[in-house]
Amino acid sequence: MGTIKVIIAGPRGRMGKEAVKMVQATEHFQLVAVLDRKYDGQLLSEIEGFQGVDVPVYIDIDQCFSEKQADVLIDLTTPETGYVHTKKALENNIRPVVGTTGFTDEQLKELTALAEEKEIGCIIAPNFAIGAILMMKFSEMAAKYFQDVEIIELHHDQKLDAPSGTALKTTQMMSQVREAKKQGHPEEKETISGARGANIDGMHVHSVRLPGLIAHQQVIFGADGQTLTIRHDSYNRASFMSGVKVCVETVMNVKTLIYGMEHIID
Ligand code: NAP
């Protein structure tokens, strides 16, 4: 495998810092630049915590793409910025690997069409942790047999989007095999709004936000006399990096947009 040239957007963020470490530690990856909203024109190595990482920092994405040749953009920013970055990367024939969550269905559709038109790979993965992908796959298997299911997703209190991208993706996967059902008592009423969480195709999703947490999800199925709980916990952000690495390698060999790592791992 030849060297893959990478740009990282959001390098000072919690995920971005780990991604910089991962790219630096991977022999066939080469970090060529970073996109930030501060420190324009400086070297990343001038910023605390990045000693020895001598790559330029850009604020302007167009300038970055015109001055630096890259194969892949890893985006770990915010929903608004991540969407703009992904679109610009595709327009410039740079393959996006996007961990940023919170894109709308409309945005996903538009990016899918753009990737198809440009015949260029793009991977948007709401969760890079292999264990979380398995949790979603196991939930999809179980949803065929259990119509009644609720999700409790738990994240750190700095997370911007709710419910999490992983919870949304899990409901989408379960919807494909689960017979539609409005859960709970037919005359159920919330005495306080929000008490039953978000309702997605009749499945309820509860979002917990607390300091101390990283990324956790519990999928609880119920039937007569039994429950089944499938749970995954990420205890640090390094847990996501083996997935980011697989996505960077895979995106080089695909020509469409792939939404979710479950389409990549067997
Ligand atoms: P974070 O710590 O807040 O980092 C986000 C970074 O993006 C910050 O450094 C921020 O800069 C930077 N940023 C914001 N606007 C920007 C812009 N216009 N240009 C360049 N950089 C910009 O967040 P995080 O915890 O690392 O999470 C990042 C994203 O990944 C979120 O969407 C989160 O939901 C998602 N996530 C995905 C996974 C997965 O497995 N797919 C796992 C965890 C998190 P400032 O510091 O100046 O604000």
Side-chain angles (χ1 to χ4, degrees), residues 12-193:
R12 287 179 298 104
R14 287 161 291 210
M15 286 288 282
K17 275 188 196 127
E18 292 298 330
V20 169
K21 276 193 231 161
M22 182 277 291
V23 170
Q24 290 289 93
T26 306
E27 212 173 312
H28 58 288
F29 291 177
Q30 184 193 353
L31 187 65
V32 293
V34 294
L35 278 165
D36 202 329
R37 58 174 177 184
K38 293 182 188 158
Y39 305 106
D40 195 29
Q42 296 194 24
L43 287 175
L44 189 59
S45 53
E46 293 170 67
I47 303 169
E48 203 189 328
F50 294 102
Q51 279 68 24
V53 191
D54 284 325
V55 298
V57 180
Y58 290 88
I59 288 185
D60 188 285
I61 191 167
D62 294 315
Q63 187 191 356
C64 177
F65 288 166
S66 70
E67 290 181 10
K68 288 285 160 185
Q69 206 224 324
D71 302 301
V72 174
L73 169 75
I74 300 177
D75 190 274
L76 298 160
T77 59
T78 61
E80 298 76 27
T81 302
Y83 166 69
V84 173
H85 283 173
T86 306
K87 198 171 166 192
K88 290 248 179 201
L90 286 170
E91 285 165 355
N92 284 275
N93 298 312
I94 295 172
R95 297 165 156 80
V97 167
V98 182
T100 305
T101 55
F103 289 4
T104 63
D105 286 348
E106 202 57 30
Q107 289 173 329
L108 288 172
K109 261 190 218 151
E110 193 192 331
L111 295 170
T112 303
L114 184 56
E116 200 165 318
E117 180 198 319
K118 300 285 286 181
E119 293 188 18
I120 191 170
C122 174
I123 298 176
I124 300 181
N127 203 318
F128 287 120
I130 305 293
I133 305 307
L134 292 174
M135 167 193 65
M136 290 190 260
K137 285 196 172 208
F138 295 155
S139 300
E140 186 182 349
M141 280 169 72
K144 195 172 159 190
Y145 304 97
F146 292 85
Q147 275 177 293
D148 290 83
V149 54
E150 305 221 358
I151 294 178
I152 304 173
E153 56 96 341
L154 310 92
H155 284 82
H156 59 88
D157 64 343
Q158 297 305 301
K159 185 167 178 59
L160 293 175
D161 51 321
S164 71
T166 304
L168 284 174
K169 184 75 200 172
T170 312
T171 57
Q172 283 164 12
M173 288 169 68
M174 293 194 297
S175 281
Q176 289 168 21
V177 292
R178 173 181 168 270
E179 215 175 292
K181 178 176 181 186
K182 185 182 179 299
Q183 296 179 187
H185 195 286
E187 287 164 33
E188 178 182 84
K189 265 200 200 96
E190 284 182 336
T191 51
I192 296 178
S193 167

